[in-house]
Amino acid sequence: MTNVNGFQSYFQFNQVDWATMWQATFETVWLSAMSVILVAVLGFLLGLMLYQTGQSQRPMSRLLNGIVALCVNVFRSIPFIILIVLLIPLTKGIMGTMIGPKAAIPALIISAAPFYARLVELAFHEVDGGVLEATRSMGASKWQLVWQVLLPESLPALVSGLTVTAISLIGYTAMAGVIGAGGLGNLAYQDGFQANQNTITLVATVIILIIVFICQKTGDLVVKRIDHR
């Protein structure tokens, strides 16, 4: 009985403004979804560029590969909370503001796209070389090779990698909230931690976990559906 009373005194659910909580949830979902879409496109293009230039023996291609690989390695190595601060001038110039959900988008893309690019490159390298050679021997062009062989064969790995990236992005949105990007992270920090309202922090954390579980389950189902190996 004492433990129950202690729990009730620590977590008081009447502290929660549910309208504000659902608004913060919508901001987190919107920010995560937009970031995942943009990261998927940019990460795929970067990964394809790394793969194609890495296969080439031309000096310019090798130079381009080295430059892109360096940029990818640098930006995926910078801790997100530091990166978002470093990008404040760029964010203000592009978005016109440093506060709110859309202000976090440049940092989210720049931090996650290089990570996904490496996963894309790895997925392409795992495609059976014999299949690629057989397609080349039939006179397929470079783009036919990409869209008709490379992409279909690596699709399960690409979706699996995007799922991992999306989960990381959800965590990044929570960190971005600490410096005013809105969403559940901002609510948990300002209205929960700083105001000493532990219930708000708990509820925001549980909702973030639910979003992560839904994202993971959706990714697993998609991979299972498209993987015919």
Side-chain angles (χ1 to χ4, degrees), residues 76-99:
R76 73 175 183 151
S77 301
I78 300 174
F80 178 73
I81 198 67
I82 297 176
L83 181 63
I84 198 171
V85 173
L86 290 175
L87 291 176
I88 283 176
L90 176 64
T91 299
K92 189 173 182 180
I94 295 175
M95 297 298 183
T97 180
M98 298 182 296
I99 300 174

Side-chain angles (χ1 to χ4, degrees), residues 17 31 59 118 131 147 211 218:
D17 182 345
L31 183 56
R118 283 300 186 188
V131 176
W147 297 115
I211 295 171
T218 302

Side-chain angles (χ1 to χ4, degrees), residues 123 126-127 152-158 160 223-229:
E126 290 178 350
V127 175
E153 290 292 324
S154 62
L155 192 56
L158 293 176
S160 180
V223 170
K224 187 176 180 180
R225 188 176 184 85
I226 63 178
D227 192 353
H228 301 294
R229 290 175 295 181

Side-chain angles (χ1 to χ4, degrees), residues 26-196:
F26 172 78
E27 289 178 354
T28 295
V29 172
W30 177 85
L31 183 56
S32 300
M34 289 297 298
S35 300
V36 167
I37 293 171
L38 295 172
V39 164
V41 174
L42 182 58
F44 176 81
L45 294 176
L46 286 173
L48 180 61
M49 185 182 298
L50 286 170
Y51 175 79
Q52 294 282 28
T53 56
Q55 300 291 309
S56 176
Q57 298 302 319
R58 297 177 180 176
M60 289 303 297
S61 295
R62 302 299 296 176
L63 176 62
L64 180 60
N65 180 269
I67 294 172
V68 175
L70 177 62
C71 293
V72 165
N73 290 336
V74 167
F75 283 107
R76 73 175 183 151
S77 301
I78 300 174
F80 178 73
I81 198 67
I82 297 176
L83 181 63
I84 198 171
V85 173
L86 290 175
L87 291 176
I88 283 176
L90 176 64
T91 299
K92 189 173 182 180
I94 295 175
M95 297 298 183
T97 180
M98 298 182 296
I99 300 174
K102 70 176 185 178
I105 290 179
L108 289 169
I109 295 171
I110 292 174
S111 65
F115 174 75
Y116 184 56
R118 283 300 186 188
L119 296 180
V120 170
E121 182 189 17
L122 181 62
F124 287 161
H125 279 297
E126 290 178 350
V127 175
D128 188 353
V131 176
L132 295 174
E133 287 301 323
T135 307
R136 287 193 187 98
S137 66
M138 290 187 290
S141 67
K142 183 181 295 185
W143 288 110
Q144 286 177 324
L145 194 69
V146 170
W147 297 115
Q148 297 179 13
V149 180
L150 203 60
L151 184 58
E153 290 292 324
S154 62
L155 192 56
L158 293 176
V159 174
S160 180
L162 186 60
T163 302
V164 173
T165 306
I167 292 172
S168 297
L169 278 168
I170 294 169
Y172 289 165
T173 62
M175 284 189 280
V178 174
I179 60 171
L184 291 166
N186 181 263
L187 188 68
Y189 180 71
Q190 291 192 350
D191 293 8
F193 176 73
Q194 289 192 327
N196 198 30

